[in-house]
C-alpha cells in the first residue's frame, strides 16, 4: 500500500503492514487519546528497531493478564494539542493500567472466547473474548457463564423466588428453564467483553 | 520456618485433573488421567481412576485395556495451565495467613497460629473461597508440626467424615491415639518404602508405633532425620521445609542474605547465583527441568516491617538443564514479583518437573546443533568449576536472547486456556 491520498496529512506507518513484527488489531479509542497512543506506538517501534527483540526460549507464561501488564500508557496531566509537543509532556502524572481497570479479582478472573450469536443483543458477538470473574456472586440480571449439558454457555441469569432461567439476548434463541430438582452450576459472572471493531 | 503453634497444610485434590476439569465440565465425574509428556506415565488420577487401581507413575500402555473398558480419558500434561493455576491458588491462599511456605506446585504450609478460635471453620471458609474463585477442591490438615499437618491432610483426604478439613489438635489424646494406630507408618512424611520395611522388621507398623519409639534408638539405627520425625510426631517442631524430600522430585536452591537488600539488581544477582547452583546439581543427576519457581521474601520475624513473600512458577517450552535458559526464566519470574519498598531477606529457586535427560522430548523446532553446542558449553562450565573451585565461572546478570521457541501441540494436551489468547476456553452462545 502506498500513501497516494493527500487528505488527512501524512500518516506514516498507516495501513496493514506489520510494522511491529506481530499481527495488529483495530480497537476503538477515545478521540482525545489518539495523539498519546500514536506517540506511544511510535516510541515502541523505535525501541523495537533499536534493539533486537529479546525473546527467551520460554513459553511466555504471559497469562493473558500479563500480556497487558507493563504496557501501561502514560497519561499526561493536560490535554495534548495534536502535533505540538509540549514542554509539560515530561510531567507524567500516572499511567493507565488496563489490568487494573478490567480485572477486580486477579486470581479469580479468566478470559474465555464466545462462540455463537445467542447473546448478541447484550453486545457480545461470536468470536469476542469475555472477562469472567468467579469471585462475584451471580445475581438476577447478570450475564453469566453456566454449565448446561456439560458445556460452558453464556446467558443472562433470570432469577425469581420460584424459577431460574437462562435467557438469551437474541429473539431467535429459546430460554433455558432450570427446574426445581435440577442443580445449576454458575461458572462465573461476565464483567466485560473485548470486542474487535 | 513456621514456629510451633498451628500449622495448616493445604493441597489441591488431584491437582492436574482438577485444573483440566475447570474448563471441561464434561469431565466431571468421569475417570481422567494426566500423563507425563515424554514417557506416558500417569502423573495425576481422578478419584474414579484411583478406584480402578491405577497407580501413580504407572506406565500408561499397561492400562490401555482398562482405559477402553471404562472410557478413561487420558490427557497429556499441560504444564503452562497447571503453573498458572498454581500461581493463582498460592496467591489466594497467602491471603489467609501471615506466613506461607510453598512446598510444591499444589501444596503449601500456612501458619494458622492464633488466627481464629475455630480453625476448622476458618479452613472451611478458605476451602470454599478456593472452590468458588478457582474451581479447585482442596484438603486441609491442621496440627502443631509440619509432619503432623501432613498426616492430618492425609486423614482429611481419606476419611470422608472430616469433610476435607482435619484438625488433629481438637482431638482428645485417646481419640488421637486410636486414629494414629489405624494409619500405616508408610504414610508418614519422609518414610519411603525401604524405610517402612526396615521399621516393620523392628515392630514399628503404625504411625503411633513410630511416635512412641525411643528417639535415641531411632537415631542409632536409622538417622537423625528420622529421629526428628519422631519428635515432630510428638508435637515438637524441628523440621525446616527444605529438609524434606518433596513428593515430586525437585531441586531447591535458596539462602537468606547476609543483610537485607532492596534493589532489583541485587536480587537478580542472588537469583542468578542460585540458578547456577541448582542447574549444576540438575546436570550432575542427568536430569532436565520443565519449570522453575522463584520466590523472594522479607524477614517474617522483623515485626513492624512491611511483609511480602510472593512466588511464581515459570514453565519452560522444552525441558532443559541449560543454566542460561533456566536463568532467563527465573529472571522473568523475578521481574513479576519484585516490588520496591521492601527489605528482602531471602530468595530461592526450585527446579520442578524433573525428567531424565535422555527422555527429554525435542520438538519440531528444536535447533539440535545449537543444543549440542550448549551442552558442550555447560560441560565446560561444570568442568572449570570442578577444577578451579565453585563459581569460578558463571552467568552474568546480562539478559540473554535465546531463539524463539514454538511450542508444539502434544498428543492430547488441553489448550493453554489461561496463558494464550489463541487457546482460550470457548463458551457457547448457541
Amino acid at each position: 500500500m502506498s500513501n497516494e491520498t493527500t487528505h488527512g496529512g501524512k500518516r506514516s506507518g498507516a495501513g496493514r503492514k506489520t510494522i511491529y513484527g506481530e499481527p495488529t488489531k483495530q480497537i476503538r479509542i477515545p478521540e482525545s487519546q489518539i495523539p498519546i497512543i500514536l506517540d506511544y506506538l511510535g516510541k515502541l517501534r523505535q525501541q523495537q528497531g533499536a534493539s533486537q527483540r529479546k525473546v527467551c526460549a520460554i513459553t511466555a507464561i504471559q497469562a493473558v493478564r500479563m500480556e497487558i501488564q507493563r504496557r501501561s500508557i502514560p497519561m499526561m496531566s493536560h490535554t495534548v494539542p495534536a502535533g505540538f509537543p509540549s514542554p509539560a509532556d515530561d510531567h507524567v502524572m500516572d499511567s493507565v493500567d488496563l489490568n487494573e481497570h478490567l480485572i477486580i479479582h486477579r486470581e479469580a478472573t479468566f478470559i474465555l472466547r464466545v462462540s455463537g450469536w445467542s447473546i448478541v443483543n447484550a453486545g457480545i458477538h461470536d468470536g469476542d473474548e469475555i472477562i469472567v470473574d468467579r469471585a462475584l456472586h451471580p445475581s438476577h440480571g447478570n450475564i453469566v457463564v453456566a454449565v448446561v449439558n456439560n458445556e460452558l454457555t453464556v446467558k443472562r441469569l433470570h432469577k425469581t423466588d420460584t424459577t431460574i432461567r437462562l435467557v438469551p439476548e437474541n429473539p431467535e434463541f429459546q430460554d433455558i428453564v432450570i427446574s426445581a430438582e435440577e442443580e445449576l452450576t454458575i461458572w462465573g459472572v461476565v464483567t466485560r467483553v473485548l470486542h474487535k471493531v | 520456618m513456621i514456629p510451633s503453634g498451628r500449622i495448616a497444610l493445604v493441597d489441591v485434590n488431584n491437582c492436574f485433573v482438577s485444573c483440566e476439569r475447570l474448563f471441561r465440565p464434561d469431565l466431571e465425574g468421569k475417570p481422567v488421567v494426566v500423563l507425563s509428556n515424554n514417557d506416558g506415565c500417569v502423573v495425576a488420577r481422578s478419584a474414579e481412576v484411583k478406584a480402578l487401581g491405577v497407580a501413580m507413575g504407572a506406565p500408561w500402555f499397561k492400562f490401555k485395556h482398562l482405559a477402553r473398558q471404562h472410557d478413561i480419558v487420558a490427557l497429556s500434561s499441560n504444564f503452562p495451565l497447571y503453573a498458572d493455576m498454581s500461581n493463582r491458588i498460592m496467591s489466594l491462599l497467602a491471603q489467609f495467613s501471615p506466613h506461607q511456605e510453598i512446598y510444591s506446585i499444589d501444596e503449601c504450609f500456612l501458619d494458622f497460629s492464633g488466627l481464629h478460635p475455630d480453625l476448622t471453620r476458618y479452613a472451611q471458609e478458605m476451602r470454599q473461597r478456593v472452590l468458588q474463585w478457582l474451581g479447585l477442591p482442596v484438603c486441609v490438615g491442621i496440627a502443631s508440626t509440619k509432619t503432623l499437618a501432613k498426616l492430618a491432610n492425609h486423614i482429611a483426604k481419606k476419611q470422608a467424615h472430616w469433610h476435607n478439613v482435619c484438625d488433629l489438635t481438637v482431638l482428645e489424646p485417646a481419640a488421637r491415639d486410636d486414629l494414629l494406630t489405624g494409619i500405616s507408618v508408610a504414610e508418614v512424611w519422609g518414610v519411603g518404602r525401604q524405610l517402612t520395611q526396615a521399621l516393620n522388621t523392628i515392630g514399628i507398623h503404625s504411625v503411633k508405633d513410630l511416635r512412641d519409639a525411643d528417639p535415641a534408638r531411632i537415631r542409632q539405627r536409622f538417622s537423625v532425620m528420622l529421629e526428628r520425625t519422631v519428635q515432630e510426631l510428638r508435637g515438637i517442631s524441628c523440621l525446616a521445609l527444605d529438609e524434606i524430600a518433596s513428593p515430586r522430585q525437585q531441586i531447591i536452591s535458596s539462602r537468606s542474605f547476609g543483610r537485607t537488600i532492596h534493589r532489583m539488581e541485587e536480587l537478580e544477582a542472588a537469583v542468578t547465583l542460585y540458578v547456577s547452583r541448582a542447574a549444576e546439581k540438575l546436570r550432575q543427576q542427568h536430569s532436565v527441568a520443565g519449570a522453575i519457581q522463584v520466590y523472594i521474601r522479607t524477614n517474617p520475624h522483623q515485626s513492624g516491617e512491611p511483609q511480602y513473600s510472593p512466588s511464581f512458577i515459570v514453565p519452560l517450552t522444552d525441558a532443559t538443564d541449560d543454566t542460561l535458559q533456566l536463568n532467563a526464566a527465573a529472571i522473568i519470574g523475578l521481574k513479576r514479583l519484585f516490588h520496591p519498598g521492601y527489605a528482602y531477606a531471602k530468595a530461592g529457586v526450585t527446579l520442578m518437573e524433573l525428567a531424565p535427560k535422555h527422555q527429554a522430548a525435542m520438538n519440531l523446532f528444536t535447533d539440535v546443533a545449537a543444543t549440542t553446542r550448549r551442552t558442550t558449553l555447560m560441560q565446560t562450565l561444570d568442568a572449570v568449576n570442578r577444577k578451579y573451585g565453585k563459581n569460578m565461572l558463571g552467568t552474568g546478570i546480562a539478559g540473554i536472547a535465546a531463539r524463539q521457541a514454538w511450542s508444539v501441540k502434544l498428543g492430547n494436551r488441553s489448550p493453554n486456556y489461561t496463558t494464550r489468547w489463541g487457546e482460550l476456553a470457548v463458551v457457547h452462545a448457541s
Side-chain angles (χ1 to χ4, degrees), chain B residues 125-141:
Chain B
E125 281 169 19
M126 179 173 76
R127 210 181 153 271
Q128 276 309 318
R129 168 73 61 91
V130 174
L131 197 58
Q132 189 194 328
W133 283 39
L134 295 169
L136 299 176
V138 300
C139 276
V140 187

Side-chain angles (χ1 to χ4, degrees), chain B residues 141-196:
Chain B
I142 303 166
S144 54
T145 66
K146 283 179 180 158
T147 306
L148 285 170
K150 188 89 179 142
L151 199 65
N153 179 281
H154 167 81
I155 295 163
K157 255 206 240 6
K158 292 282 186 259
Q159 302 183 5
H161 66 270
W162 289 95
H163 302 293
N164 305 298
V165 175
C166 168
D167 182 354
L168 284 177
T169 63
V170 303
L171 293 173
E172 295 298 325
R176 200 180 317 168
D177 283 4
D178 281 352
L179 193 58
L180 299 188
T181 305
I183 300 171
S184 158
V185 72
E187 300 298 343
V188 174
W189 206 17
V191 176
R193 207 177 337 164
Q194 284 177 326
L195 200 48
T196 303

Side-chain angles (χ1 to χ4, degrees), chain B residues 13-24:
Chain B
N13 306 351
N14 320 326
C15 181
F16 297 173
V17 172
S18 300
C19 290
E20 297 286 352
R21 279 177 171 167
L22 178 60
F23 299 94
R24 292 271 312 268

Side-chain angles (χ1 to χ4, degrees), chain B residues 14 17 31-35 40-74 158:
Chain B
N14 320 326
V17 172
V32 181
V33 292
V34 175
L35 305 176
C41 288
V42 176
V43 293
R45 304 160 299 160
S46 71
E48 299 77 8
V49 172
K50 286 178 185 173
L52 291 171
V54 176
M56 190 71 170
W60 184 236
F61 72 88
K62 289 189 176 171
F63 293 96
K64 281 279 193 283
H65 173 69
L66 192 76
R68 268 196 301 275
Q69 203 182 331
H70 294 278
D71 283 334
I72 301 176
V73 179
K158 292 282 186 259

Side-chain angles (χ1 to χ4, degrees), chain B residues 31-252:
Chain B
V32 181
V33 292
V34 175
L35 305 176
S36 63
N37 281 332
N38 35 25
D39 50 6
C41 288
V42 176
V43 293
R45 304 160 299 160
S46 71
E48 299 77 8
V49 172
K50 286 178 185 173
L52 291 171
V54 176
M56 190 71 170
W60 184 236
F61 72 88
K62 289 189 176 171
F63 293 96
K64 281 279 193 283
H65 173 69
L66 192 76
R68 268 196 301 275
Q69 203 182 331
H70 294 278
D71 283 334
I72 301 176
V73 179
L75 299 166
S76 314
S77 284
N78 180 352
F79 202 72
L81 171 68
Y82 312 146
D84 179 56
M85 293 303 289
S86 170
N87 289 325
R88 288 167 184 255
I89 195 169
M90 293 307 169
S91 163
L92 185 56
L93 290 172
Q95 296 166 22
F96 284 84
S97 162
H99 187 59
Q100 174 188 45
E101 284 182 13
I102 294 171
Y103 179 55
S104 74
I105 188 163
D106 62 353
E107 53 190 324
C108 73
F109 290 94
L110 298 172
D111 186 357
F112 266 19
S113 308
L115 287 188
H116 196 281
D118 183 350
L119 286 176
T120 297
R121 218 183 79 196
Y122 183 70
Q124 286 292 5
E125 281 169 19
M126 179 173 76
R127 210 181 153 271
Q128 276 309 318
R129 168 73 61 91
V130 174
L131 197 58
Q132 189 194 328
W133 283 39
L134 295 169
L136 299 176
V138 300
C139 276
V140 187
I142 303 166
S144 54
T145 66
K146 283 179 180 158
T147 306
L148 285 170
K150 188 89 179 142
L151 199 65
N153 179 281
H154 167 81
I155 295 163
K157 255 206 240 6
K158 292 282 186 259
Q159 302 183 5
H161 66 270
W162 289 95
H163 302 293
N164 305 298
V165 175
C166 168
D167 182 354
L168 284 177
T169 63
V170 303
L171 293 173
E172 295 298 325
R176 200 180 317 168
D177 283 4
D178 281 352
L179 193 58
L180 299 188
T181 305
I183 300 171
S184 158
V185 72
E187 300 298 343
V188 174
W189 206 17
V191 176
R193 207 177 337 164
Q194 284 177 326
L195 200 48
T196 303
Q197 283 172 349
L199 286 166
N200 288 349
T201 56
I202 59 164
I204 295 176
H205 297 277
S206 73
V207 178
K208 182 176 175 293
D209 293 341
L210 183 60
R211 185 197 67 187
D212 298 343
D214 173 18
R217 184 161 165 252
I218 292 287
R219 185 178 58 223
Q220 273 169 1
R221 288 197 62 133
F222 299 98
S223 66
V224 176
M225 271 303 296
L226 195 61
E227 182 202 14
R228 285 192 197 162
T229 301
V230 173
Q231 300 288 16
E232 285 248 326
L233 289 172
R234 296 177 176 195
I236 303 158
S237 203
C238 52
L239 280 181
L241 200 59
D242 39 22
E243 291 180 283
I244 300 119
S246 154
R248 294 200 178 78
Q249 262 221 309
Q250 49 189 31
I251 293 174
I252 302 174

Side-chain angles (χ1 to χ4, degrees), chain A residues 55 65-66 107 109 113 115 152, chain B residues 84 88 91 336 402 425 427:
Chain A
V55 192
R65 54 198 151 79
M66 276 178 72
E107 295 88 357
T109 298
R113 189 173 306 285
S115 163
L152 297 178
Chain B
D84 179 56
R88 288 167 184 255
S91 163
R336 266 192 64 89
V427 50

